[in-house]
Amino acid sequence: MPEPSESDRRKAARLQPAMAATRLVDCLERGWDVQFRCQYCGMERTWGRREFLGQPLRKRLARTIAQVQAGVFWPQRGCGGHWPILRLMQGGYQDAQADAPAAQRAHLVTMLLDAGVLPEQVGL
C-alpha cells in the first residue's frame, strides 16, 4: 500500500469547526480527554485531567484544539510526525455533583486554583 500524501494526511486530520474551536480548558470542564494518533508511526497518546493540570500543559489551557494539533510533533520513535488525528472522548473523571453549568464552572475554577492556575490565565 502506498504511503499517504501530505494532502491525504491533512484530510485525515481535518477537524470539525466546533471541535477545532474548543479550548483545552473547555475539555477539562466537560470531563473530556483528547486522544492523539500519529499518522506516521501509529502511536497514540491521551491527555486527560492529570495532563491538563500538569506543569507542561498549564500554560496551554487557553489554546484551541486546532492550535494544539498544529503545534504537536510526535517525539516517540523519532518519527517527528505532525498533524495527528485527534478525537475527543468522555474521560473517566466526571463529577456527579457538577451537573448544572454553574456548578461545573465553579468546580473547574476550584480545580484550576488548586493546580496553581489563575482562571484569568486561561480565559475564564
Side-chain angles (χ1 to χ4, degrees), residues 80-98:
H82 58 282
W83 293 105
I85 296 173
L86 282 120
R87 189 174 75 163
L88 297 179
M89 51 192 202
Q90 199 66 34
Y93 53 87
Q94 290 73 36
D95 298 302
Q97 77 273 13

Side-chain angles (χ1 to χ4, degrees), residues 14-74:
R14 187 175 299 146
L15 301 170
Q16 297 296 324
M19 181 179 170
T22 302
R23 298 176 305 159
L24 290 180
V25 73
D26 297 331
C27 294
L28 179 62
E29 180 179 7
R30 295 176 182 138
W32 294 343
D33 290 345
V34 180
Q35 183 183 49
F36 301 84
R37 186 172 62 80
C38 180
Q39 295 189 61
Y40 294 87
C41 68
M43 296 280 297
E44 292 185 358
R45 173 174 49 186
T46 303
W47 288 352
R49 175 189 278 182
R50 182 177 41 186
E51 289 78 17
F52 291 141
L53 296 175
Q55 191 64 34
L57 285 182
R58 285 182 197 169
K59 297 177 183 175
R60 296 181 178 101
L61 285 175
R63 291 187 182 175
T64 64
I65 296 293
Q67 290 170 327
V68 169
Q69 182 187 42
V72 169
F73 285 89
W74 210 260

